[in-house]
Structure formats: C-alpha cells, structure tokens
Amino acid sequence: EHDNVDMMASGLLGFPGGVNLTFDCGMWAANRSNMEILGSKGTIAMPKMFGWERSSVVPQIFVHVGSVTREERLKGFNSFELQADAFAKAVLDGAPLPYEPEDAVSNMKVIDACIESARSRKRVEIG
C-alpha cells in the first residue's frame, strides 16, 4: 500500500462449474495488458487487451488448439468512445445499456471480496 492505494494485487476467483480465474495487476509492475484463457483442449490469448486504441497496434487474438494456431485480427475501435456513445444513446434515446446496472454492482462485490480476502488472508465467498 502507498498512501492507502493498493499498488499490486493478485488473486484467484472461483466460479460455478469448476471455472477459475487468476489475475495480477499493479501500478508498480511493468506495463502489460495480456489475457489468456486456458482450456482442456487449447488456449485463447490476447497479448494486448487495453491501450491499443491509443497506438497503431491492431488488436489480435491467438487461438491455439493442439499444434494449430489461428490468428484473428479485430477491427480497431476506441472503447471509451463506445462507452460514451452507449451512455448518450441511453439518456437521449432511451436505448438499453449494453450491460444492466446490476453488472456494475456485481463487479463491485467481487472487488470488495478481493479486498476483504487480502486483508483477512482468507477465502471470501460472495452469496
């Protein structure tokens, strides 16, 4: 902690059906924003999840199954613009938001549970 700001964190989240997620993040860590999904038959990797909208990097996804790798390139977009546009359409036109407000509440429950777990050094379940 630095002036009451968590500078680094890591964790394990468990979901129903035996699905788990590990994460690490930090203000003092080297800059990276990769994601990897590990399955029983292969992996899906995105080497740059965030920040590519401010660079010339084209977002890409690598799908590895056995010894075969397939690369998918996504059309570049600015996630901040999409977020602002969706909000404006909801306010001005009554369009539905891409995610329900409960999604934000659920995200905060996970963050609160992670903080509680780090402080107590115990597993925390969300009910």
Side-chain angles (χ1 to χ4, degrees), residues 23-71:
F23 69 90
D24 62 81
C25 56
M27 301 294 285
W28 286 343
N31 187 17
R32 64 185 176 120
S33 62
N34 58 315
M35 177 201 63
E36 184 176 35
I37 300 169
L38 305 173
S40 59
K41 297 182 180 177
T43 64
I44 300 172
M46 191 166 186
K48 190 160 181 74
M49 284 285 299
F50 309 106
W52 50 262
E53 65 273 356
R54 295 181 301 275
S55 72
S56 61
V57 174
V58 176
Q60 53 192 317
I61 299 172
F62 297 98
V63 179
H64 308 280
V65 179
S67 62
V68 177
T69 299
R70 184 178 83 242
E71 180 180 347

Side-chain angles (χ1 to χ4, degrees), residues 10-15 19-24 34-36 38:
S10 62
L12 169 66
L13 303 178
F15 297 91
V19 174
N20 295 303
L21 170 131
T22 61
F23 69 90
D24 62 81
N34 58 315
M35 177 201 63
E36 184 176 35
L38 305 173

